[in-house]
């Protein structure tokens, strides 16, 4: 008997769970993998939220944001105004367009670059704000899941979903008749 125990101790190691350790060489430990995955997700969310976390904006920043919102509507309304003025006062409109025809081509390129950079920068800023809001929402997800689990314990019968029109909770003769089909 001592020889067999010695051979098995030599093959599988003494005082350890050798079968488990041997199996983990070929198959990943699911519990340990889930723990590592959860830790990784928590770290990624924390880093993502910290990267996009900014303090609240002051009065000056909000005023500048309001002013920055004016060019797009002004350009759209101005363009519509040009169409209306072309229909209402064609001579006045033609005089203005003759003035625009005298604008040199490099100035048109400069105007195009300024407008492109303005809208491109605004698009990037809005995209980063959107990513920040997603990070904040995802950071709240574990708390919401915990709240849902806590609310689940308050159900009278956890197997049955709560019905907003439960006749037992709020007696209503018309609703009871409707449910029975009378």
């Amino acid at each position: 008997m001592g020889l067999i125990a010695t051979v098995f101790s030599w093959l599988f190691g003494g005082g350890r769970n050798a079968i488990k350790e041997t199996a983990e060489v070929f198959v990943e430990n699911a519990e340990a993998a889930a723990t590592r995955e959860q830790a990784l997700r928590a770290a990624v969310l924390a880093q993502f939220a910290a990267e996009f976390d900014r303090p609240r904006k002051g009065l000056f920043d909000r005023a500048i944001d309001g002013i920055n919102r004016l060019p797009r509507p002004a350009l759209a309304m101005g363009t519509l105004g040009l169409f209306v003025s072309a229909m209402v006062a064609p001579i006045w409109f033609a005089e203005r367009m003759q003035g625009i025809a005298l604008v040199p081509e490099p100035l048109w390129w400069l105007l195009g670059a300024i407008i492109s950079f303005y809208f491109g920068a605004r698009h990037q800023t809005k995209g980063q704000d959107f990513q920040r809001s997603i990070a904040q929402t995802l950071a709240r997800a574990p708390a919401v899941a915990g709240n849902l689990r806590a609310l689940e314990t308050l159900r009278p019968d956890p197997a049955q979903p709560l019905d907003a029109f439960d006749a037992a909770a709020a007696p209503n003769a018309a609703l009871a008749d409707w449910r029975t089909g009378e």
Side-chain angles (χ1 to χ4, degrees):
M1 214 46 195
L3 181 61
I4 293 174
T6 305
V7 169
F8 277 122
S9 290
W10 181 74
L11 285 175
F12 297 114
R16 299 184 316 217
N17 189 345
I19 295 173
K20 178 183 169 231
E21 291 176 7
T22 304
E24 285 179 351
V25 170
F26 302 105
V27 179
E28 182 181 24
N29 183 334
E31 184 178 347
T35 303
R36 287 190 301 271
E37 179 69 23
Q38 192 275 335
L40 175 66
R41 285 177 187 256
V44 166
L45 283 175
Q47 180 183 1
F48 195 55
E51 182 177 341
F52 292 104
D53 190 24
R54 285 193 325 195
R56 300 295 264 179
K57 293 182 178 182
L59 179 63
F60 177 77
D61 289 331
R62 288 184 296 185
I64 294 300
D65 283 346
I67 292 169
N68 280 337
R69 290 189 178 115
L70 292 178
R72 246 186 337 173
L75 285 170
M77 297 305 277
T79 303
L80 290 175
L82 287 174
F83 280 103
V84 170
S85 68
M87 291 185 282
V88 172
I91 303 299
W92 180 88
F93 179 77
E95 289 171 351
R96 295 331 173 257
M97 292 302 111
Q98 289 302 313
I100 289 178
L102 296 176
V103 174
E105 187 174 342
L107 193 55
W108 285 113
W109 283 100
L110 180 62
L111 178 65
I114 290 170
I115 291 174
S116 298
F117 281 123
Y118 170 78
F119 287 116
R122 182 141 179 90
H123 176 73
Q124 182 177 1
T125 301
K126 291 298 180 183
Q128 288 174 344
D129 287 343
F130 178 68
Q131 288 178 350
R132 183 179 308 108
S133 71
I134 287 176
Q136 290 170 346
T137 301
L138 288 176
R140 288 191 304 263
V144 170
N147 290 343
L148 289 174
R149 282 191 295 276
L151 288 172
E152 200 61 35
T153 62
L154 298 176
R155 285 187 190 218
D157 182 10
Q160 292 291 340
L162 288 178
D163 187 1
F165 301 104
D166 190 1
N172 184 334
L175 187 58
D177 290 343
W178 176 76
R179 285 193 172 172
T180 59
E182 295 177 6

